[in-house]
Each structure stands twice: as C-alpha cells, then as structure tokens.
Amino acid sequence: MSIPNHYQLWAKTGEIEGEFHPLVYHMLDVASVALYLWDAALTGALQKELAQGFALSQTECRITLAFLAGLHDIGKASPGFQKKYPAGIPELKRAGFGFDERPGRTPAPHGAVSAWWLEGYLKSEFGVTPESAKNIARVLGGHHGIWVSASQVLTPALGRSDKGGESWEAARQNLTRELEAILSPPRRISLPDEIERKNSLLTLVSGLVSVADWIGSMSNFFPYRRNDIPASQYAEMALRQAEQALHELGWMGWTPKGETIRFDTAFNFSPRPLQKAAIAGSQKAQPPAMLILEAPTGIGKTEAALYMADIWLQGWGGRGLYIAMPTQATSNQMFSRVVRYLRQRYPSELVNVHLINGQARFNREMQALEMQSIADDERDKSQGQVAAMGWFLPRKRSLLAPFGVGTVDQSLMSVLQTRHFFVRLFGLGGKVVVFDEVHAYDTYMSVLFFRLLAWLRVIGASVIILTATLPATTRKQMVCAYLGVKDIELEEADFPRLTVVDKTIVETIPLPAPEEKPFRLEWIGNQAENILGCLKEKLGEGGCAAVICNRVDRAQEIYQAIRDAQLLDPQNLLLFHARFPFAWREAIEKRVLEMFSPQGERPQKAVVVATQVIEQSLDLDFDLIISDMAPADLILQRAGRLHRHRQNDALRPRPLRELSLVIASPTLEAGFPTFGADAFIYEKYILTKSWMCLKSRKEIRPITETRNIIEEVYGEPGALEGGLKEAWDKMVRDREREINLARNKLVGSPLDERLLESMNLGLEEDNPAIHQAFQAMTRLVEPGVEIICLHRVGEEIYLEPDGGGEAIRLEQAPKGETIEELLKRSVSIHHRGIVEYFRDREAPKGWKRLAALKHHLPVVFSDGVYRCEGTGYLLKINRESGVHILKEAE
C-alpha cells in the first residue's frame, strides 16, 4: 500500500537498529487493551457508575473509554517527541514533516502536547464543555504519573516548536480519524456536575488508561512492526493480542459468580456467636459500605472479615480483596492464612494473590506461588490454582491483583503525591479492603488513613476495620471520613460491637460477648535484674513467656541478661526485632511461629524477647507476658497473647494457669513517672495517663473494662496541671505538626474542586536518604539509611560472618541471585548519629546502576564490628541479637 504520512510516526523503538512501532498501531494496542480491561478489571457497579458519569450506556462507555485511552499518546505526533529517534528524522522530513532546527530548547513532554491538543479536539468535535474538555485532556496527558497542569499547556511552556506546523496538525487529525473509524465512539461526552463523582470518574479513568498503556507497550504481546498494513486490518490483530495479553498476565482468572458458601465449609468450624452476629449485621449494608468490628483479640475477627467480604464480593460483584496489616511480620503470617483460605474457597479457579510489602520478594510462600504462575494453556482447566502472576509483582502494580495481603503502607501510598497514585486507587476500586489493628496508627498515619477512607467509598470500595481497642473519637472520625461529612451522631453500644455504615444507614450493633477472661496485673521494677528475677520465679515449673520491649536496644539488653543467667536451654531463648538482616530475621520469625502459633510445637520452657512486632495480629500464645509500660490500648493488645489457644490449656504449668500480665514499672520521681527513651516512641502524656489508669488495678476484665480504660486515657483530659499539663501541651503541638506534615503530602480529597490543578510533588518512594519533604512517607519516622551487612573474612568479603555464601566484589556490579542475596542482608538504621555518618557516602559504582541497590550502602564488619570513624559510635552484629548501635566506650 501507499503509506500515509501519519503512518511514518513512531511510538516506541527497539534495541535493534531501525526497529520501531508506528504510533497509529500503538494507539490501537492501548485501545484494545482498554476494551478488555473494562471486561476484566471493572465490576458491574463500577461500569454502571462510569457510564452514568459520562451520561452513556455501558456499551457506549466501554467504547468511549477505549477511544480516549487510544488517544493518550496523540502528543507523540509532534516534532519534539519524534526528534528523540534521530534515525527516523530523514524519512519524516521526506514525508513533509518540519522540525525546528534551533538548538538549546528542551521540548515539552508529549503528555502536555496530548493535553493541549485533546482539549481543543474534544470541544470542537465532540461538543464537550470547555471545563470538561480541559479535565479529560489533562487526565489523558497525565498517563506517565502526574496530571498535566494548566501552566504546561500555555506559552512559553508549550510553544510553536512543540506543536509543529500544518503537517503535524494534519497527522494528529488523521490519527484520530483512524481511531474513530475503527471504534465508532458516540460523539458525545460529558462529565457529572457533582464534584465528588467527577473526581472519582477522572481518577479511575487515569488509572485505567495508565494500565492499558503499560500492557499495550509490552513488545512480547505487541511486537515492533513496520507500517505495512492498514489500521483497520491491524486493529483485528491488536484485539487478539490484547485478549492474549490479559489472559497470560493473570487478569482473566477469578470472577465472582454470585455463589456463597457456608461458614463452616470455608473454615472447617462453625461460627462463634459473635462471628455469627457480626455476619448477620453486615448484611444490613449495601456496598460500597464500611464495617467497624470492635472485639477482643483471639475471637476470630479475621475469619469473620473474610466471610463478610466474600458475601459482599459475590452478592455485589466486587473486584477482589486487599488485607492491610500493620507490619511486615503480621502481613507475612496473614498471607499464609489467606492463601489457605483461598485454596479452600475457590478450588476450581485461577486465583491471583500477592504478598505486598517491602520484603515480599524473599517470602518463600510468595516465591512458590510465583513458580506456579504458568501459562494458561499449560494449566489443567478443571483444577484450581492459587498463583502470584508475575506482571503484578512491582509494588506499583501489586494492588491491581484481585487478591492481596500486605502492609497498610501500600494502601496509604495511593493518597500520597506520588507518580501514578491513581493507579493504586484504581487497583483498590470496587474491592473490599480490610484494615487490621487500626489502633496502632499514630497521628500522621491517621491523617493519611482518613483521606484514604474518603477515596475508597467514592471509587466503589467497601471497608472492614478490625480492632480490639478504639477510642470513640477515632471511630467517629472514621465514619465521617468514609461518608465525606464533617460530623455525625453515632449510637453507643457496649463492647464488643459492630458499626455498619453505607450511604443510607449508620448503625451500631451490640455483639454477644465471649467468655470473659480476666487477667492479673502485676508490677515489677524495670531493670534487667527485675525481669530476670520475675522469669526465674514464674517459670520455675516451666512455661512459655514473652518479654515485650518498646525499643530494640532494650530488647537486646534484656535478652543478654537472660542468656547470661542461663535460665533455660539457649535453643528456646529467642530475640525478635526489626534490626536483623532479613535473611536472619526470617528464620527467627519462622521459629517463633513454629513454637507459639496454633499449629506450633510448644517447648516445655521458652522465652521470646521481642519488640512490638509480636503485639499486633500475630496469632501467638504465651503462658506469661512481661511488658514494658506502654499506652493502655497496647497493654490490652499485648494481653491478648495470653492463653490465646485453648488446646494449650492442659499443657500450662500449674503456677501459670491463671492469666497474668507483668508490667515493668517506670521510674518514679517525686511520685511522677519518667519514661526515658520510651517517650520518643510513645507520647509522654498517653504513657502517663495509661500509668495513672492502670497503676492501682490488680485485675483487668478486658471485655467489661476495655471501653472505660480507653476513654479514660484518650478521652477529653479535663483540668490538668504540672507535668501532666506540660505533656498534654507538647502532645498537642506535636500532633498539629504531624497533621500539617501529612496534609502537605496528600493528594486532594474527592470533594476538592481543584483536584486536577493541585500540586503533585512526585514524592520519592524508594530513597530513604533524601530529605523527608520529598519522601512519600507513610509513617513519620526519623530519616534512615539502608545498609547491607557484609563481613570481612581474611582478605575477602562475604555475605555471612563465617565466610558463607559467595565472595563479594564491591567494585563489580552484582547480578541476578547475588543482588537478591545482598538485599537479604539489608537493615534499616534510623539512629541520628549513624545516619549523619553515612549521609554523604555513596553506593559502590557498580551498585548505582541497579535500581534495587542504588539506595543501599555496604557496611563491611570485621569480627562483627564496624567503627563509624569520628562519630564515637560503632556497629556490632551477631546472629543472636542482630545489629547493635553502641558508643565506643561501651
């Protein structure tokens, strides 16, 4: 055929000289993927919502979205973009395209050219109102992660040399006509007047277009092709390739069929009265809806949430489930539970499930699921399969998978000013999102969480919140955030209770209380010898104890004292905290679960010294708990690990058959508690109020008293004086600062009339070394540095202190498995003096070119010691206790 001029324009080039893919074909690739994403990734409810938003039928909306997605790269038909492939310029010139030869000017991004051109095109050809045309155009132009701003489409940011002359304008018109002729979109597009609905629609469209572009750019499905066939003929090929791509990538597996199963079929046991009542209460809501389940630890909140979520998914056609846990350790354990549940629940379907946290790549169960991600034609269609499909592995994509378990941080990233935040929101749209242990969120995290709740409702996501200890003010804030209102009257009900929220009802339902399990409250001194003495006394006849410390260095100190005292078999003394290299911490976590989980084999006598890592969500059982003084809600949470598994009751030593929690009391000065370094972990006011609330108690009845204890600590303070007034004032100042920090990093709310105009800082997701102002922080922590712990043995550097593993050449760029092994030796350090020491140091040259390692620094220990010269500090490391931060004198 005679090749039209606009077929000469390229969209992407390959590594082989002269290899390129024409822009007209790429536009059809992306449009074709969008058609299949509508079918595979959007629930019926979301399809209906989008269609109503555009004032179209669902069939018309499907075509319109594909057409708009295909137009996203129309700005590549511009001289600035086409100049990026110098080898193609002569041919373009022969085809009549002109180029501005003046040197020095940086071309405008092609996304800005797309937004400029599409705004005019939508107004003139589709009769779109000026405001709606501007919004749709800037969303489409923002497919690289940040919406196009007003200034980017105006002179001088966008000049004549960016737009090109008549030949370029003709090419853009011809490209659009090709797409119109093939798709036949309805020639009317409008946006809703209601701000919230409009913002939701534009955000979901942003996510869909970006995902369609990512998939449509995969050359293994859409190979580079010369411009040798008409667009109409290529369109048929693109549709077949798009369907194949979505099948092989894992988009076409599990779908809700409207079929529910019995609770005892899903979990192999009958529901407890509380679970049964909560499930019945949840059915009063029509998704998108929110449930807040407040109930004691260990009564099966997780199983209740999974079952309630499944009923919603099946009954209302949801897209899947994401479970957001407070820590990596808790998400690891929950992942195993959810995989078991999915295998039992969907034995005949391909279920795509992902673990989503910073160390997921090293999780053995996740690795096994990745190995099962085989091509669809190799799978026995009569058999189900739980797998982790590889396309979804990058964390920016993982929330797109239908099922996921991870940290809450991954969901909070969807409301921070990062590139492609709207892809994460698109991934959560139409799903059920379960948040566990929400009481663990600090002020900064809570601000992010409330903004996330606001977005989840408008993108069609339902929410289930699980907690054992929740202040009334926080419950009210959650309901208001989800509904998008400033205030609301909430019914009260005794603990345990279920709050049910949708667009028509807000109801608080009392739940049947499980059997009360009171526990004794005992106090001892907070020195290591006090804790050691308590363990000697209490474990005289054996038993399994946990010592929960607020800080890593404190846990290391207590562990050392117990080890030196030879109180028990060293094999049954464990230290568990976050300052171990992952390769070592993984083995410790596994050992803890093997000993103290429901399926564990309990030793006759054992002690775990740990930080907060075991207080949240891990299903562990201990005969005795000794805890540092902590906020009252966390004391109750820690007590939830006492006598958790009834099958162990007969094994408990006689002195430990009554539940007992021992608190290491703070030091008193003039009758007022001091908390030392713990006041940097928790607010001094909350610690003091918790101590005042608990200090005279001999026993706590967790069901009867939880609500009163929480309100006494977190409720209105009343008249304050002295040190307590100072602590309150400081807490108020700190909270105001945290609120402002969080708000400065958030994307706008669904009610923001200028959402598309608001700034996107493009916050950094992976580099802990940059200034906090430019980090996408989901938690307010001190600046940190990521070190890789290596060891000098003789003249060589190794992965392990004994010379285990391969020798590491720092001057060489590592490859493949070596990179993975290096990352398994990483530790995050947040000590101010250590961070300052490493601030100006750079990764080895060979690491800088590797995305996985470029923000990590090697630290080579000699005989377990690394001196931070000139700082007075040194790092020590050993397998038993991890990384120590010490002063030289120590």
Side-chain angles (χ1 to χ4, degrees), residues 23 88 109 135 292 421 428 466 473 492 532 573 604 610 618 711 729 846:
L23 178 55
N135 288 335
I292 304 175
F421 74 89
L428 293 172
L466 307 178
T473 53
E492 286 299 325
L532 184 59
L573 173 61
Q604 189 269 334
L618 288 179
E711 294 309 318
D729 290 342

Side-chain angles (χ1 to χ4, degrees), residues 321-332:
L321 173 70
Y322 182 69
I323 301 181
M325 304 299 293
T327 64
Q328 289 183 6
T330 55
S331 62
N332 289 341

Side-chain angles (χ1 to χ4, degrees), residues 99-232:
F99 290 87
D100 188 341
E101 304 295 345
R102 290 176 297 175
R105 188 177 186 278
T106 302
H110 71 268
V113 181
S114 290
W116 158 75
W117 192 83
L118 286 170
E119 183 176 346
Y121 168 75
L122 292 171
K123 286 189 292 187
S124 62
E125 300 295 325
F126 281 70
V128 181
T129 64
E131 183 67 18
S132 292
K134 177 184 70 175
N135 288 335
I136 295 171
R138 291 182 185 174
V139 158
L140 297 177
H143 58 275
H144 284 290
I146 296 178
W147 288 323
V148 177
S149 67
S151 62
Q152 287 179 283
V153 297
L154 298 175
T155 306
L158 194 69
R160 179 173 174 78
S161 62
D162 296 307
K163 304 171 185 176
E166 292 181 3
S167 59
W168 295 99
E169 177 61 22
R172 290 189 286 264
Q173 293 284 355
N174 289 331
L175 286 165
T176 309
R177 290 191 189 104
E178 296 266 20
L179 204 60
E180 278 193 76
I182 291 166
L183 290 172
S184 299
R187 296 190 69 83
R188 66 183 193 280
I189 298 175
S190 64
L191 293 179
D193 294 327
E194 185 187 351
I195 297 299
E196 191 177 76
R197 288 191 70 196
K198 179 175 70 175
N199 286 340
S200 169
L201 184 149
L202 291 170
T203 300
L204 290 171
V205 169
S206 296
L208 185 143
V209 170
S210 289
V211 174
D213 185 32
W214 291 347
I215 297 173
S217 298
M218 297 179 70
S219 58
N220 51 329
F221 294 111
F222 304 93
Y224 297 102
R225 184 182 182 94
R226 299 297 294 187
N227 44 14
D228 56 352
I229 58 174
S232 57

Side-chain angles (χ1 to χ4, degrees), residues 5 17 383 449 461 595-596 608 618 701 736 758 804 834 837 873:
N5 289 8
E17 186 175 352
Q383 298 297 314
F449 181 56
M595 294 167 73
F596 307 110
V608 178
L618 288 179
R701 303 178 68 84
E736 288 175 351
S758 58
I834 304 300
Y837 171 77
Y873 289 102

Side-chain angles (χ1 to χ4, degrees), residues 49 166 341 354 528 544 699 851 860:
E49 180 70 20
E166 292 181 3
Y341 161 75
H354 282 254
C544 296
E699 180 185 77
V860 182

Side-chain angles (χ1 to χ4, degrees), residues 276-454:
K276 194 172 183 178
I279 292 165
S282 71
Q283 301 315 296
K284 295 185 175 186
Q286 178 175 324
M290 179 170 77
L291 305 174
I292 304 175
L293 176 55
E294 300 171 74
T297 60
I299 59 86
K301 291 193 291 293
T302 298
E303 288 79 9
L306 288 172
Y307 193 73
M308 292 186 291
D310 190 67
I311 291 175
W312 278 353
L313 292 176
Q314 295 297 332
W316 300 96
R319 281 181 60 209
L321 173 70
Y322 182 69
I323 301 181
M325 304 299 293
T327 64
Q328 289 183 6
T330 55
S331 62
N332 289 341
Q333 190 187 29
M334 182 60 71
F335 182 66
S336 297
R337 294 172 68 182
V338 169
V339 168
R340 288 197 299 271
Y341 161 75
L342 290 173
R343 285 192 172 122
Q344 180 145 331
R345 175 64 183 93
Y346 299 110
S348 303
E349 297 182 55
L350 172 63
V351 178
N352 183 8
V353 60
H354 282 254
L355 175 64
I356 312 172
N357 64 40
Q359 303 290 350
R361 67 202 302 175
F362 306 132
N363 182 277
R364 295 183 189 278
E365 189 159 14
M366 182 66 179
Q367 290 171 345
L369 293 180
E370 289 174 46
M371 294 295 292
Q372 294 182 38
S373 300
I374 55 178
D376 197 48
D377 57 358
E378 296 177 30
R379 185 171 60 90
D380 182 350
K381 301 292 178 31
S382 67
Q383 298 297 314
Q385 178 182 314
V386 175
M389 308 303 284
W391 185 85
F392 298 87
L393 288 176
R395 276 180 285 166
K396 189 175 285 189
R397 300 179 189 170
S398 293
L399 289 178
L400 295 166
F403 292 93
V405 179
T407 56
V408 66
D409 308 76
Q410 302 304 320
S411 58
L412 294 177
M413 291 291 284
S414 62
V415 290
L416 288 172
Q417 295 178 39
T418 59
R419 286 185 174 275
H420 292 111
F421 74 89
F422 42 73
V423 169
R424 285 188 167 97
L425 284 175
F426 175 69
L428 293 172
K431 287 182 177 173
V432 179
V433 186
V434 179
F435 296 95
D436 200 4
E437 310 288 10
V438 294
H439 57 269
Y441 303 169
D442 61 16
T443 300
Y444 178 89
M445 286 181 71
S446 294
V447 174
L448 272 55
F449 181 56
F450 297 149
R451 179 60 52 84
L452 176 59
L453 289 178

